[in-house]
Amino acid sequence: MKTMFTMHGVSFKTTWMFVFVLFFLPHFMTASTSGKLTGHIVDKKNNEPLIGVNIILQGTTIGAATDFEGYFGIINIPPGTYDIRISSVGYGTKVVKGIEISSEQTTTLNENLSEEVIVGSEVVVIAEKPIVDTRQTSAVSIMSKEQISVLPVQNLQDIVNLQAGVVDGHFRGGRIGEVQYQVDGVSVNNPLTNAPSVSLDRSVLQEVQVISGTFDAEYGQAMSGVVNAVLRSGNNDKIDWSAETYFGDYVGMGKVAKYPYLERINPLATQSYQVTLSGPTGIPKTTFLLSTRRYVSQGYYFATRKFLPTDTSDFNAKKFYPTGDNELIPLSTNDEWSGQMKLSNSSIQSLQISYQAIFNLTKNKPYDFGFRLNPDGVKTPRFFSVVHGFDFTHMLTEKIFYTVNLRQNIIDYRDYKYDDVNDPRYYIAKQPRGDADYSNGAVLQGVDLGRYIEKTTVNIIKASVTAQVTNIHLVKVGAELQLPDITYGNPGVIDRDSITGALHAYVNSPLFPPPQNYTPVSFSMYAQDRVEWKDIAIRGGVRLEYFDANATVPSNLQNPANAIIGVPSSTPKKTTEKIVVAPRLGVSYPIMVNGSIYFSYGHFYQLPAINQFFSNSDYSILKDLASGVSYSVLGNPDLRPEFTTQYEFGMKMQLNDNFGIDGSMFYKDIRDLLGVEFIETYNAAKYSRLTNVDFGSVSGFTLALDFRSGSLINASLDYSNQFALGNSSDPSETATRAAAGKDANPREVPFNWDQRHTLNGSVSLQEQNNFSLTAIAKYASGQPYTPLIGSGFGADLENNSGRKSNGVVVDLRGEKNFVLDGINLSAFVRVFNVFNASFFNGFVFTTTGSPDYSLSPVSDRVTLSDPGRYNSPRRVEIGFSIRGSSLIE
């Protein structure tokens, strides 16, 4: 049952923050970036437990000794692959190579030792990683840097989209923005949009964990999934360096009509340069990692610069005077810089201190088909983000450690043509203008007058303590405080006078208010217990979340602008503070030697994106509304968190040394989604505003098969079947339907992303340090659309009652490795969309269900000439990499 408390005033917030400062901060506590190693050591001859056996992770100071029953447990291990040294007096030493440790997971190592026959003898064993982890209590995918390195992917988002249950960023049927993205266990989501604020190149990733099922109480502000990226760190005893570059272009041969100008192949149309350096800094026990990447791409949309923004034509006489040079200009480009830095120090015993910074700078020109003859009129948004901060991890004992994370996420987004709203170039070029009879209405003069900025700073304090309180109980408690400072809006507006037609700049105008500043507060705390007894695993916990929008709303929604005389007045009223409590439970129970069944259940809450709270939230604009209807949806600073209850049941089995299977069924009951309500004022007028009224449900199952044959062939296949249903696919859909005169009453229909059948398959042929070849195929059944059977009122059928065509996309990556004077070299080729599929659940005409033709070719003539309706064409990239290392004496 959902639990919700709402409290008024500031007394609760003040008291809560006081409790946080007094109780949690003096006991700084951990991010989800460490794993656990446990096991049992026995005498090989008589199978008796061995006491006091030393277990050491070679190359580190991490280790433990077995207890009186031969068991050991090591916590707070950074993710990675380790060689484990097992030694005891009177017994031969054993080294187990290639043990993988994953974030927030337990790896089991059960071994036996033989009495020492030859002094100094050592037995080396190569670890066999289990094909399936039978202790998982939900659907979790963990990919190491070695697995990522052979895939045809470049960044974190590419990796996420390969996982079962993920469809175009939707996790198991949820809306976009319902996923928590973390770097080293701390959120990097932009609270304004709930989207990740950074992009990570694969070269800096140590491990990626994607949770598409239920997740533990330590994760919040998410309803559909969690993505945790763990960054690499430097090595204390050697310098590692690497560089990679690749070049390529889109190759649409055979479909030139769909992708104009792609017959002209430019091998340098796409360029990427990436360099990574890591190792010791020269300061005792201090390491570093530096990485930077430069990426540029011309894309596959092109424009002909026939007109310039300052051209002037006689539209009344239909006389046009182009002065452009007719050059072929990329219409949608990418220009990106990104980089990561990480410093780690362990000079103080039992204390690890690190500082990391991640930055992204992009100038990506968005595709606008209207400017295909006047490309210089398009604005190019600039996006700059920095995520940086300190992490402190302190081992109090072998069984207890705490970590505190102090992070700051900064975003600076600017979307306008010229910096100054009074820039004379705006007023020389004027607003975009075209003629319907000239090139289907292409823009022939003018520039994009839109102006928007966002400046966001989020200060985060996250802390937790982890304790192995008994051999079977690993307890973790923690808290997180987020203090966003968000400013966004229009930095001056350029508007056209309706009488004279002249352009005017409005700055700090009541009609066009300047960017507004918002400072909401969110706080959470949780307690989590991971129980591991023999092969039984139980993960249970509870999470409490608090949010204060720190804003006001009208006290009387029937007189919101306080403009109706003779009725109860309206005054600004403080938004209510929101508190929710979310229980989580997961159980895994063995049913065979290498197989288990699991069940999980949880309540998951997430605040809507902050722009849903505050965009268009000035209710004074309704002062002139009388006996009419306003379909312009107002924001609502008093929104509640959205809510999902999720159930999951599954089974994991390792059938033999080469084959594993993982299947799960799930159901999600989704409530309090953002939607639209219509409010009637005292003067019989109506207006719409966002509120928590929408609903939905998702049910389905996933089946994943994993095949490994030694070190040469690996293959995987996963199938997802799901039914994602609800009353609307986006918050404003109800108002849009009402404005069009359609039935706006709530009813359950398929969501826009309701992809019933999804199949992902991959095959890798690999010989270590020699070559690799990987193919990935993605099949998708058609997503829904609303068919149109005629024209006029009621011509469209039931919403989302039609289905698009199925689609298949295949990607390839091949690499050949060389060694020259101790330096590793490689050459690789990547081909995306190998078979040049022009359709993959994209745009279709409502009259045909096809992207290729329409039954109304005259009215759809602009869209029929727009290549943007098709899937991205084949892309070919050829690259080279170099890697090396130098030992430090």
Side-chain angles (χ1 to χ4, degrees):
M1 181 176 66
K2 178 173 61 173
T3 305
M4 170 76 75
F5 300 94
T6 303
M7 303 187 69
H8 299 268
V10 296
S11 58
F12 175 81
K13 180 174 70 175
T14 304
T15 302
W16 196 254
M17 297 308 162
F18 180 77
V19 170
F20 174 80
V21 172
L22 283 188
F23 181 74
F24 284 100
L25 288 185
H27 305 279
F28 282 140
M29 301 171 273
T30 181
S32 308
T33 58
S34 62
K36 175 183 172 182
L37 178 67
T38 187
H40 192 214
I41 308 300
V42 299
D43 184 291
K44 183 176 182 179
K45 183 176 181 180
N46 55 34
N47 206 37
E48 292 292 328
L50 295 179
I51 304 170
V53 177
N54 292 314
I55 315 296
I56 301 295
L57 278 67
Q58 292 193 149
T60 75
T61 58
I62 302 173
T66 56
D67 60 17
F68 288 99
E69 296 180 345
Y71 289 100
F72 72 92
I74 307 174
I75 61 175
N76 193 31
I77 305 175
T81 302
Y82 297 89
D83 296 340
I84 311 298
R85 186 180 184 86
I86 307 171
S87 61
S88 181
V89 176
Y91 288 85
T93 298
K94 178 179 285 188
V95 176
V96 183
K97 291 182 171 291
I99 293 291
E100 288 191 17
I101 303 295
S102 297
S103 172
E104 285 300 289
Q105 307 300 320
T106 298
T107 300
T108 302
L109 177 63
N110 296 324
E111 288 292 340
N112 56 62
L113 295 182
S114 301
E115 292 186 8
E116 189 172 39
V117 178
I118 302 174
V119 177
S121 64
E122 182 174 279
V123 177
V124 177
V125 178
I126 305 299
E128 291 286 342
K129 181 183 177 181
I131 296 178
V132 294
D133 185 351
T134 57
R135 288 191 175 185
Q136 294 285 4
T137 61
S138 66
V140 180
S141 175
I142 301 173
M143 303 197 72
S144 66
K145 64 178 182 180
E146 290 79 14
Q147 293 171 301
I148 295 171
S149 66
V150 299
L151 295 176
V153 296
Q154 188 60 43
N155 55 45
L156 176 62
Q157 199 58 54
D158 294 337
I159 299 167
V160 172
N161 286 332
L162 292 178
Q163 309 310 312
V166 180
V167 176
D168 299 331
H170 301 271
F171 277 51
R172 285 192 170 179
R175 286 179 173 177
I176 286 289
E178 293 184 357
V179 179
Q180 174 75 210
Y181 283 84
Q182 299 186 342
V183 173
D184 285 347
V186 182
S187 172
V188 293
N189 278 26
N190 178 1
L192 187 68
T193 61
N194 276 347
S197 59
V198 295
S199 176
L200 294 173
D201 186 72
R202 66 176 190 160
S203 61
V204 298
L205 297 173
Q206 176 67 38
E207 176 184 279
V208 174
Q209 184 178 106
V210 179
I211 308 175
S212 56
T214 58
F215 39 90
D216 290 346
E218 66 177 288
Y219 301 110
Q221 188 55 8
M223 293 199 302
S224 292
V226 175
V227 176
N228 188 18
V230 181
L231 301 187
R232 292 168 49 196
S233 296
N235 197 302
N236 266 312
D237 55 12
K238 63 177 181 178
I239 294 285
D240 291 316
W241 54 271
S242 65
E244 179 184 272
T245 185
Y246 64 83
F247 309 93
D249 197 6
Y250 290 90
V251 182
M253 290 184 299
K255 295 185 178 179
V256 175
K258 293 183 177 181
Y259 309 106
Y261 309 113
L262 286 194
E263 71 276 8
R264 302 170 57 177
I265 298 175
N266 177 8
L268 300 180
T270 296
Q271 302 177 44
S272 176
Y273 308 91
Q274 183 270 328
V275 177
T276 300
L277 181 66
S278 65
T281 62
I283 302 173
K285 296 185 177 180
T286 303
T287 63
F288 74 94
L289 181 142
L290 292 173
S291 180
T292 186
R293 181 178 183 233
R294 170 70 167 150
Y295 174 77
V296 293
S297 174
Q298 293 183 5
Y300 56 94
Y301 299 118
F302 293 89
T304 303
R305 190 161 52 197
K306 188 173 183 178
F307 290 84
L308 297 179
T310 54
D311 285 348
T312 56
S313 298
D314 188 343
F315 288 92
N316 292 327
K318 294 187 178 297
K319 294 182 178 180
F320 310 105
Y321 308 105
T323 65
D325 56 12
N326 290 312
E327 285 291 320
L328 201 62
I329 305 297
L331 192 53
S332 176
T333 60
N334 295 309
D335 188 337
E336 304 176 6
W337 283 95
S338 62
Q340 294 82 30
M341 178 186 74
K342 189 170 185 178
L343 296 172
S344 302
N345 177 276
S346 57
S347 57
I348 302 176
Q349 186 175 6
S350 302
L351 178 64
Q352 177 84 22
I353 302 174
S354 66
Y355 171 80
Q356 64 174 279
I358 306 168
F359 84 90
N360 288 105
L361 173 61
T362 65
K363 295 180 181 179
N364 295 341
K365 183 188 296 184
Y367 174 66
D368 191 332
F369 184 62
F371 282 87
R372 59 191 177 275
L373 300 181
N374 176 25
D376 294 340
V378 179
K379 57 183 180 178
T380 302
R382 173 190 178 275
F383 178 86
F384 176 73
S385 69
V386 173
V387 172
H388 73 116
F390 289 91
D391 300 321
F392 305 86
T393 302
H394 187 196
M395 290 291 298
L396 297 176
T397 70
E398 289 185 353
K399 302 295 184 181
I400 303 174
F401 71 94
Y402 66 81
T403 300
V404 90
N405 311 99
L406 306 175
R407 296 283 180 86
Q408 187 178 64
N409 302 343
I410 301 172
I411 297 171
D412 187 342
Y413 178 73
R414 304 175 188 180
D415 187 8
Y416 41 64
K417 182 65 175 177
Y418 306 117
D419 291 345
D420 188 354
V421 69
N422 292 305
D423 192 304
R425 288 173 290 182
Y426 274 128
Y427 306 95
I428 296 173
K430 300 182 181 179
Q431 73 273 15
R433 190 173 179 184
D435 187 276
D437 295 326
Y438 190 100
S439 189
N440 292 329
V443 174
L444 308 182
Q445 65 184 48
V447 298
D448 191 328
L449 302 179
R451 295 178 58 80
Y452 175 84
I453 65 166
E454 175 204 344
K455 294 183 179 180
T456 296
T457 299
V458 186
N459 295 309
I460 301 174
I461 302 175
K462 183 173 182 178
S464 68
V465 61
T466 302
Q468 188 76 53
V469 294
T470 70
N471 281 340
I472 64 173
H473 287 276
L474 182 69
V475 176
K476 186 174 185 178
V477 295
E480 180 177 357
L481 175 66
Q482 287 199 20
L483 300 173
D485 187 322
I486 302 171
T487 299
Y488 76 102
N490 305 116
V493 173
I494 302 173
D495 194 40
R496 181 175 178 269
D497 188 287
S498 59
I499 299 176
T500 66
L503 297 182
H504 295 285
Y506 295 88
V507 180
N508 299 332
S509 165
L511 187 62
F512 302 105
Q516 303 294 303
N517 179 255
Y518 306 98
T519 56
V521 176
S522 64
F523 173 76
S524 62
M525 59 187 301
Y526 65 88
Q528 180 81 33
D529 185 13
R530 191 197 311 176
V531 181
E532 294 170 335
W533 179 67
K534 295 184 178 179
D535 291 325
I536 299 175
I538 302 174
R539 302 174 81 122
V542 63
R543 183 179 184 88
L544 182 146
E545 300 200 45
Y546 163 86
F547 176 74
D548 182 6
N550 199 18
T552 61
V553 291
S555 61
N556 188 345
L557 294 177
Q558 292 182 279
N559 187 17
N562 209 27
I564 306 175
I565 307 301
V567 298
S569 63
S570 180
T571 58
K573 178 184 70 171
K574 190 183 184 307
T575 52
T576 56
E577 296 166 317
K578 313 298 188 307
I579 303 175
V580 294
V581 178
R584 317 273 172 85
L585 176 65
V587 179
S588 176
Y589 185 82
I591 56 173
M592 55 190 296
V593 175
N594 291 313
S596 67
I597 58 174
Y598 61 89
F599 166 78
S600 57
Y601 161 83
H603 288 189
F604 305 93
Y605 292 90
Q606 183 178 22
L607 289 167
I610 295 299
N611 59 14
Q612 306 281 16
F613 283 78
F614 298 115
S615 293
N616 196 30
S617 61
D618 182 5
Y619 286 68
S620 66
I621 64 174
L622 299 175
K623 64 183 182 296
D624 298 323
L625 181 65
S627 302
V629 180
S630 173
Y631 294 107
S632 175
V633 180
L634 292 171
N636 181 2
D638 209 15
L639 293 170
R640 303 190 309 273
E642 299 172 309
F643 171 68
T644 293
T645 303
Q646 184 170 181
Y647 307 83
E648 185 176 12
F649 177 80
M651 178 178 63
K652 299 174 183 283
M653 288 189 298
Q654 182 167 330
L655 302 180
N656 53 44
D657 292 340
N658 305 115
F659 196 74
I661 184 171
D662 183 353
S664 67
M665 298 181 294
F666 61 89
Y667 175 76
K668 297 166 66 173
D669 182 23
I670 310 169
R671 302 291 170 180
D672 292 338
L673 285 174
L674 281 197
V676 170
E677 66 175 345
F678 285 86
I679 299 175
E680 185 171 344
T681 67
Y682 289 116
N683 60 356
K686 289 184 178 181
Y687 66 93
S688 60
R689 75 163 189 165
L690 290 175
T691 191
N692 300 87
V693 294
D694 281 0
F695 57 87
S697 66
V698 184
S699 59
F701 69 90
T702 61
L703 183 64
L705 308 176
D706 207 351
F707 175 79
R708 300 179 194 167
S709 177
S711 60
L712 186 62
I713 299 177
N714 294 315
S716 66
L717 183 69
D718 64 72
Y719 168 73
S720 298
N721 172 267
Q722 68 179 27
F723 295 79
L725 309 173
N727 69 304
S728 66
S729 297
D730 68 78
S732 61
E733 183 177 315
T734 301
T736 302
R737 291 183 62 83
K742 300 176 182 178
D743 180 12
N745 292 321
R747 64 215 181 282
E748 194 172 63
V749 297
F751 286 135
N752 292 343
W753 55 90
D754 177 43
Q755 190 166 290
R756 297 287 167 85
H757 307 283
T758 305
L759 190 66
N760 296 321
S762 68
V763 178
S764 293
L765 181 66
Q766 180 182 15
E767 185 175 296
Q768 196 72 22
N769 299 321
N770 188 3
F771 71 90
S772 67
L773 179 63
T774 303
I776 293 177
K778 293 174 282 187
Y779 164 83
S781 64
Q783 296 174 6
Y785 76 100
T786 303
L788 186 70
I789 58 174
S791 60
F793 180 79
D796 55 342
L797 298 179
E798 178 66 22
N799 193 42
N800 278 352
S801 57
R803 287 282 166 177
K804 302 175 185 177
S805 300
N806 303 334
V808 177
V809 171
V810 177
D811 300 332
L812 290 176
R813 184 184 191 277
E815 182 173 17
K816 174 60 179 175
N817 301 293
F818 309 90
V819 178
L820 181 63
D821 292 334
I823 297 176
N824 296 304
L825 307 171
S826 72
F828 63 88
V829 60
R830 298 190 298 203
V831 184
F832 300 91
N833 192 5
V834 174
F835 299 108
N836 205 21
S838 60
F839 179 77
F840 194 77
N841 265 326
F843 168 86
V844 296
F845 290 100
T846 57
T847 56
T848 63
S850 168
D852 295 322
Y853 68 100
S854 167
L855 296 182
S856 305
V858 175
S859 59
D860 289 333
R861 65 185 185 279
V862 176
T863 307
L864 283 167
S865 62
D866 183 356
R869 69 190 191 277
Y870 290 114
N871 185 43
S872 58
R874 181 191 299 113
R875 185 169 90 247
V876 179
E877 296 170 350
I878 298 174
F880 308 90
S881 69
I882 181 171
R883 299 180 301 277
S885 62
S886 302
L887 290 175
I888 303 299
E889 298 295 334

